[in-house]
Amino acid sequence: MRIGVIGTGRIGTIHAHTLSRHRDVGSLILTDADPARAQALAHRLGETAAPGVDEIYTWGVDAVVITTATPAHAELIGRAARAGLPVFCEKPIALDLAGTLQAIAEVETAGTVLQMGFQRRFDAGYTGAREAVRSGRLGRLHTVRAMTSDAEPPPAGYLAQSGGLYRDTLIHDFDILRWVTGREIVDVYAAGSDAGPPVFRESGDVDTGAVLLTLNDGTLAAVTATRMNGAGYDVRMELAGERDQIVVGLDDRTPIASTEPTGPPAADKPWTGFLERFAPAYEAELIAFVEVVRGERANPCDGREALQALRIAEACELSRRERRAVRPAEIPGGGEAAFG
């Protein structure tokens, strides 16, 4: 199988490495807005670089992986769908609902596959949490606490096109909350703070956010995120039920220190970022995509799932601006979604 990779930045490079060494992938065609970057990666991997996206299609591929900047995602998804090709795309589909719905419509009209890159679904900790909830080990789930804390802010240029903290960062927490619990979110109340560096205010964004969510079985979830966690990269989820309580993301690299005399020591080597923390999950999601293309497994995260996470992020933005509780039902694009 030959796969086209569009975008050879940080995550595109990781995906290209995974695919290049996969036994069922014969070759790659790499392209990027910076042709020299694509050519350099192709040389390192022993693959082929293309001068532009057009050549991906004229030279012929069996599937497409999209890892460009977000504003290009929707158009590239649509083009691949019209060519009848299965697509893997990093989240989100688009920064707005209209673009997201249009891209999904093109995929569904063409009858092709769109797998979205929500890598936490392939992380061992989150998978274990899902199994614990679904098996009944926790009993009735009553409380979920989740957090995503970046060690340092992304570049200003990235912030301007990221869509903001809720759409760019917390969207992962919204997706994994639905996936782990098997429940829908019916109510959100969001707050944000831009008290950090001025770049966030200049971008119309916040550096720290918090959301209280109610699930459709009455479970309460508190989710927080920040771009300013100097101790290191920290991603966790705590799930508390009537029988038991578990946590995802607590290990010897979690950047947290206890003030208790007998508490665990601080991490010697805290996680530095998402690419390091979720490296095995990023590899697993691309292996899954190859299996989907080969018809060996069902799509683990389609465009409709990504749409639901975006609708929750949109509800949070509305809640933050208007300082009120918002039901995701107020946001267009609702409908049935599969939890798999």
Side-chain angles (χ1 to χ4, degrees):
M1 145 185 346
R2 173 186 274 187
I3 296 179
V5 179
I6 305 175
T8 57
R10 290 186 303 171
I11 194 63
T13 296
I14 289 172
H15 289 338
H17 273 274
T18 297
L19 293 169
S20 184
R21 61 177 180 261
H22 196 292
R23 65 180 183 277
D24 294 321
V25 178
S27 62
L28 303 178
I29 301 177
L30 312 176
T31 192
D32 192 272
D34 179 354
R37 184 164 68 176
Q39 184 65 56
L41 179 59
H43 179 73
R44 293 198 300 273
L45 296 179
E47 303 289 357
T48 302
V53 174
D54 289 346
E55 285 75 15
I56 292 285
Y57 295 95
T58 58
W59 294 357
V61 294
D62 301 298
V64 174
V65 170
I66 299 170
T67 60
T68 62
T70 296
H73 287 183
E75 190 278 329
L76 291 171
I77 289 170
R79 182 167 185 180
R82 293 189 296 275
L85 294 174
V87 179
F88 175 93
C89 184
E90 283 299 325
K91 65 83 193 166
I93 294 174
L95 293 178
D96 63 336
L97 287 165
T100 299
L101 290 166
Q102 176 61 33
I104 291 172
E106 292 215 57
V107 170
E108 293 179 348
T109 297
T112 54
V113 169
L114 169 60
Q115 180 183 328
M116 294 302 301
F118 282 100
Q119 87 284 351
R120 294 187 194 183
R121 294 181 178 219
F122 296 87
D123 177 73
Y126 286 106
T127 300
R130 186 177 191 263
E131 292 170 352
V133 171
R134 304 301 182 87
S135 70
R137 169 184 161 187
L138 306 185
R140 182 185 69 85
L141 186 66
H142 53 73
T143 308
V144 181
R145 293 174 289 270
M147 63 185 298
T148 296
S149 300
D150 290 330
E152 57 186 21
Y158 176 84
L159 282 176
Q161 62 180 5
S162 71
L165 188 69
Y166 299 98
R167 299 186 189 93
D168 180 52
T169 299
L170 279 166
I171 195 169
H172 280 290
D173 295 275
F174 303 147
D175 176 72
I176 206 64
L177 178 60
R178 295 178 63 248
W179 188 75
V180 167
T181 66
R183 296 292 180 178
E184 292 292 353
I185 295 163
V186 298
D187 187 82
V188 308
Y189 190 91
S193 170
D194 62 0
V199 65
F200 293 98
R201 292 184 290 281
E202 293 165 1
S203 300
D205 197 5
V206 294
D207 60 77
T208 303
V211 189
L212 177 64
L213 310 100
T214 304
L215 309 189
N216 61 359
D217 64 346
T219 300
L220 296 179
V223 182
T224 64
T226 184
R227 306 278 200 184
M228 308 293 299
N229 201 57
Y233 182 72
D234 192 3
V235 172
R236 279 177 279 144
M237 173 183 273
E238 300 173 5
L239 300 106
E242 292 181 343
R243 296 179 184 169
D244 202 357
Q245 181 172 233
I246 57 175
V247 59
V248 178
L250 182 60
D251 58 23
D252 60 0
R253 299 192 64 183
T254 304
I256 191 168
S258 173
T259 60
E260 299 296 335
T262 59
D268 290 332
K269 188 181 179 183
W271 296 109
T272 58
F274 63 93
L275 294 177
E276 182 187 31
R277 162 66 177 84
F278 290 110
Y282 280 118
E283 181 173 356
E285 69 179 358
L286 264 292
I287 292 172
F289 178 61
V290 172
E291 292 171 351
V292 170
V293 174
R294 289 172 56 85
E296 297 171 353
R297 67 175 294 174
N299 188 349
C301 186
D302 65 18
R304 291 280 169 183
E305 292 287 272
L307 171 63
Q308 298 309 318
L310 177 61
R311 291 177 65 244
I312 298 161
E314 292 288 341
C316 288
E317 284 287 3
L318 181 60
S319 175
R320 180 178 70 89
R321 290 196 308 269
E322 299 188 357
R323 295 180 178 272
R324 68 177 178 89
V326 173
R327 297 178 65 82
E330 298 179 40
I331 308 301
E336 293 296 324
F339 293 101

